[in-house]
Amino acid sequence: MLYLINGEDVPDSLSLRLRARPAHLARLQILQAAGKLVLAGPCPAIDSPDPGLAGFSGSLIVAEFPNLEAAQAWAAADPYVNAGVYARVTVKPFKQVLP
């Protein structure tokens, strides 16, 4: 089943994100290589595809996991969580309708 993982950043998270980004992306690439990743990306803190120093307000991941517990465990082990980037992470089932 698909699960939505929504990470909400702490204020001024950009420097934390930049340090943890390589490890964060490596984990996402593993999901992608396994055919489990539907989409992933950050939410710019301002209305711009390149927010510069404004940084990001969070991240969204939609991926396939065996169950909710597995999705929660994967999200809890994210390098952004360990680096203190996220103030809160929400994991919930997701049903893709389109495309």
Side-chain angles (χ1 to χ4, degrees), residues 3 5 65 67-78 89-92:
Y3 293 89
I5 301 170
F65 294 94
N67 53 51
L68 180 59
E69 293 77 19
Q72 289 169 328
W74 188 91
D78 191 292
V89 177
T90 303
V91 180
K92 56 187 172 181

Side-chain angles (χ1 to χ4, degrees), residues 54-89:
F56 300 92
S57 63
S59 300
L60 175 69
I61 298 166
V62 177
E64 182 181 342
F65 294 94
N67 53 51
L68 180 59
E69 293 77 19
Q72 289 169 328
W74 188 91
D78 191 292
Y80 280 176
V81 170
N82 297 329
V85 172
Y86 295 146
R88 178 177 28 184
V89 177

Side-chain angles (χ1 to χ4, degrees), residues 2 38-39 62 93-99:
L2 295 179
V38 174
L39 66 90
V62 177
F94 179 80
K95 181 178 177 182
Q96 183 176 3
V97 176
L98 296 170

Side-chain angles (χ1 to χ4, degrees), residues 15-49:
S15 64
L16 297 172
R17 272 182 168 270
L18 292 175
R19 283 194 296 270
R21 188 169 190 265
H24 172 76
L25 291 178
R27 291 181 84 235
L28 289 171
Q29 290 166 343
I30 292 168
L31 279 180
Q32 184 178 23
K36 305 292 185 184
L37 183 64
V38 174
L39 66 90
C43 302
I46 60 173
D47 190 12
S48 172

